[in-house]
Amino acid sequence: MSAAPMKAHFRRLTTVTLIGHGWGSGIGLGQWGAFGYAVRYHFGYERILNHYYGTTSPAQLSSTGQPTNPTISVAILENMNLATNQGFDPVVTSSGAFTVTSSGGTPVVPTTTTTTTTTTTTTSSTTSTTAPGTTTTTTPVTSTTAPAPVMSFSVPAGTAIDLELSANGTWNAYEGASCSSAAAATTTTAPVATGLVNPVISPTVSGNASITSLLVLCRHDNVDESVRGSIEAYDRSGYERTLNLLPLESYLRSVVPSESSASWGLDGTTTGAPLGRPWGFQALEAQAVAARSYAMSYVESGGWNGYAGICDTTQCQVYSGANFENAVSDAAVAATAGEIRISPSAPTLAVSTQFSASTGGFTDPSAFPAVHDLGDACVVPSNPLECNPNHTWTVTVAGTQITRHFRAIGRLLMVHISARNGDGAFGGRAETVLLKGSRRAIRVPASEFVSALELKSDWFAVASVTRFGRAPATTTTTSTIPMTSTSTTTSVPVTTTTVPETTTTSLPG
C-alpha cells in the first residue's frame, strides 16, 4: 500500500537507530526465559513448558502410535550450496571398519573381459589321390564375466569413501586413505563400486559407542562432523543430498546443547530441586521436550522438502552431530525420554513447539497464547554474565541500506511503525512499517523489513535518526522522527527504550 510522499523540507535520513527486544520469532519457549524461570524462580521443566505452551499437555511419544525411539533422517545442509541447490559428494571415514550398502538396484563392480581363440579346420572335397588340402581360420571370441550383484561391501578402518552421483541416477564409490584422497580419486582412479542406489554407510559399532569410533562426515565446508547412526547418499532428482539417519534420542543429544548452553544445567542451587541437580537443569529438560516434540511434529507434517525428516540448521532446529554432545545435556535428554507435547484437538500428533533464543520479555501470540516472560532479562541480576544480551538491543543502519531494499521510495525521509500487536513495550511487536521517501511512501509487513535488515526480532522501535545537514552539506543533524504520519513536528521522543520486567508481580502458573 502506498501513501503520499514527504514534503521536500524533510532532509533524507542518513542513519536510523532502532531499539528492540529479543532474538528470534518469540513464539513459544524462550531459551533465556526458561533458564531464568529455572534458576531465579525455581520452576520445574513441566511448569516452564506449561507457561510457554498454553493449551498443550505432556504425553509420551508411544501414546501417539509412534515407536518409543524412532529413526529420524536429518538433511545436512552444510554439504550443499543453498543458493544454487547444488549438493556435494558425501565423503565419510572412520577409525573403525564400516559398510556401504545399496538400498536397491543391482550395483556391479567393474567387470573383467577375456579373449580366447578357436581354431576351425576345413577339409576340401577332391578326387585327387593326393592328401586333401586344409584351411585353418582363427576367430576371436569375447566373453564378459560379471560377478554376482554386489549389494554391500566393507571398508577397512581408517579408509575414506567418496560417493559421487552419476548421470544415470546411481552412485559410484571411490576409496582413499583420507577424505581428501578419496575425493581426489573421483578424477584419478576407477571406482571400487558402481550402480549404487542411494547407498547407506553404516558403522560396525553400536549407537552408544564413543565419539572416536563413529562415522565422520567430511563436509564440503571443511568441517569434520562425527555422527551417530548412518549416512545416506540421496539422489533428489539429480541433486546430491547428504542425510544422517539416527535414533531420535541420539539426535536430541546433539540438538539440546546446540540450542541451549549445557553449562546452564550446572547453574543455581540444588535446594529443593528435582533429581538433586541444580535448578538450571530444568531449563535443559524443557529444551529436550520442546526439541523432541518439534522434531516429531516436523516429521509428521511432511518433513524437510519431502525427502528428509528435518534439517540441521536454524531453518529447522540446530543439529551439530556428536561433536557437540555433553554429559549434562545427555542427562536431560535421558530424564525426559520419549516426552512430547500434545493438544486436546489432536492427541495423536506432536505439537510444533517452536522456540527462540529470547522473547524479549513477552511471547508472540500464535498457536499458543502470548505471555509475559519474566525469566528473559537477568537470571542473576547482580552478575552481568548471567544477563540476556538480547533482552534489549540497539542497531544503527544507514538510510541507503534501507532504500537499497525498498528502491521505490526514493531517498528515505521517515521510518514509522504503523501497526503493532499490542503486547508489551512500544505497543508490542511491529506488524507494519511505513517508509516515506522523496518519491512515494509504502507500507511493508514488519517481517519483510526485519528480513531485509537482518534484525534480531520484530519487536523494535525507532530510537533516533540523523538527517543530511543543510549547511555545510556534509554535516548531519540528529532528531527523533514523527511517530504518526500526520504529525507536523520534527522531534517526538520515543515512548520508551526499555521493556519493563512485567506489569504484574505474580508468577505464571
Side-chain angles (χ1 to χ4, degrees):
M1 180 182 296
S2 62
M6 294 287 288
K7 294 181 179 179
H9 68 267
F10 278 89
R11 296 285 179 168
R12 67 176 173 85
L13 299 183
T14 54
T15 66
V16 178
T17 298
L18 303 172
I19 183 169
H21 300 293
W23 192 3
S25 68
I27 296 174
L29 179 144
Q31 290 158 335
W32 270 96
F35 182 40
Y37 276 128
V39 174
R40 189 174 180 185
Y41 298 109
H42 293 181
F43 277 26
Y45 81 92
E46 292 284 17
R47 189 178 179 188
I48 293 172
L49 294 168
N50 289 340
H51 175 60
Y52 287 111
Y53 301 116
T55 72
T56 72
S57 59
Q60 281 294 309
L61 185 58
S62 57
S63 71
T64 67
Q66 292 280 3
T68 302
N69 189 17
T71 296
I72 188 169
S73 60
V74 185
I76 308 299
L77 300 190
E78 291 82 0
N79 218 38
M80 63 175 289
N81 185 326
L82 292 175
T84 64
N85 210 32
Q86 176 189 4
F88 301 107
D89 293 2
V91 184
V92 179
T93 188
S94 177
S95 62
F98 56 93
T99 61
V100 180
T101 304
S102 175
S103 63
T106 54
V108 178
V109 296
T111 60
T112 301
T113 300
T114 61
T115 301
T116 61
T117 300
T118 61
T119 301
T120 304
T121 301
T122 305
T123 303
S124 61
S125 164
T126 180
T127 58
S128 171
T129 60
T130 61
T134 61
T135 302
T136 302
T137 60
T138 301
T139 305
V141 178
T142 302
S143 64
T144 300
T145 303
V150 178
M151 300 302 293
S152 179
F153 63 93
S154 297
V155 180
T159 304
I161 284 289
D162 183 306
L163 295 170
E164 182 182 59
L165 184 64
S166 60
N168 66 4
T170 65
W171 297 77
N172 298 326
Y174 296 84
E175 191 174 285
S178 65
C179 286
S180 58
S181 62
T186 61
T187 59
T188 60
T189 62
V192 296
T194 62
L196 302 168
V197 179
N198 292 343
V200 175
I201 300 176
S202 303
T204 56
V205 298
S206 67
N208 290 321
S210 67
I211 191 171
T212 57
S213 59
L214 301 177
L215 295 179
V216 178
L217 173 65
C218 302
R219 296 184 342 205
H220 185 74
D221 60 356
N222 295 318
V223 172
D224 293 342
E225 181 176 340
S226 298
V227 298
R228 298 195 181 277
S230 304
I231 295 173
E232 180 179 5
Y234 185 83
D235 170 25
R236 188 180 186 232
S237 302
Y239 291 96
E240 294 184 332
R241 294 294 182 263
T242 304
L243 307 182
N244 183 193
L245 316 176
L246 73 167
L248 174 64
E249 299 299 314
S250 297
Y251 162 76
L252 293 171
R253 291 176 62 183
S254 173
V255 172
V256 173
S258 297
E259 289 286 359
S260 292
S261 173
S263 66
W264 286 358
L266 303 174
D267 210 330
T269 69
T270 59
T271 304
L275 304 177
R277 291 181 174 271
W279 276 103
F281 188 74
Q282 298 302 302
L284 296 185
E285 288 188 290
Q287 178 68 78
V289 175
R292 185 182 293 108
S293 192
Y294 179 84
M296 289 308 301
S297 175
Y298 205 100
V299 171
E300 291 166 351
S301 299
W304 176 255
N305 291 324
Y307 70 88
I310 199 166
C311 72
D312 68 336
T313 70
T314 55
Q315 294 188 57
C316 302
Q317 58 185 6
V318 179
Y319 167 76
S320 308
N323 305 62
F324 232 67
E325 292 175 357
N326 182 281
V328 177
S329 50
D330 280 356
V333 172
T336 62
E339 186 174 339
I340 58 170
R341 304 292 290 192
I342 60 172
S343 67
S345 60
T348 61
L349 296 175
V351 170
S352 180
T353 43
Q354 295 183 60
F355 51 85
S356 59
S358 167
T359 68
F362 216 115
T363 67
D364 191 14
S366 57
F368 320 111
V371 292
H372 285 284
D373 191 351
L374 293 177
D376 186 75
C378 279
V379 177
V380 181
S382 60
N383 184 356
L385 296 178
E386 304 231 2
C387 289
N388 175 8
N390 295 302
H391 179 70
T392 299
W393 50 265
T394 59
V395 64
T396 298
V397 297
T400 53
Q401 183 179 351
I402 297 175
T403 54
R404 188 179 304 121
H405 293 282
F406 305 98
R407 296 183 181 276
I409 67 173
R411 296 188 304 275
L412 180 66
L413 302 178
M414 191 181 81
V415 179
H416 169 54
I417 315 305
S418 55
R420 296 182 177 275
N421 73 358
D423 296 320
F426 313 145
R429 295 175 184 271
E431 294 182 338
T432 307
V433 178
L434 174 64
L435 301 174
K436 287 198 172 185
S438 57
R439 295 177 186 168
R440 60 185 298 195
I442 62 173
R443 288 183 174 86
V444 298
S447 58
E448 183 179 346
F449 187 79
V450 168
S451 177
L453 300 185
E454 298 183 349
L455 302 181
K456 291 183 176 181
S457 75
D458 59 3
W459 190 0
F460 61 91
V462 178
S464 64
V465 302
T466 59
R467 295 186 182 277
F468 191 77
R470 293 175 180 271
T474 56
T475 63
T476 61
T477 57
T478 302
S479 65
T480 50
I481 67 163
M483 295 304 290
T484 63
S485 59
T486 58
S487 174
T488 58
T489 64
T490 58
S491 178
V492 176
V494 175
T495 304
T496 181
T497 59
T498 59
V499 179
E501 282 284 324
T502 181
T503 57
T504 176
T505 58
S506 62
L507 291 177

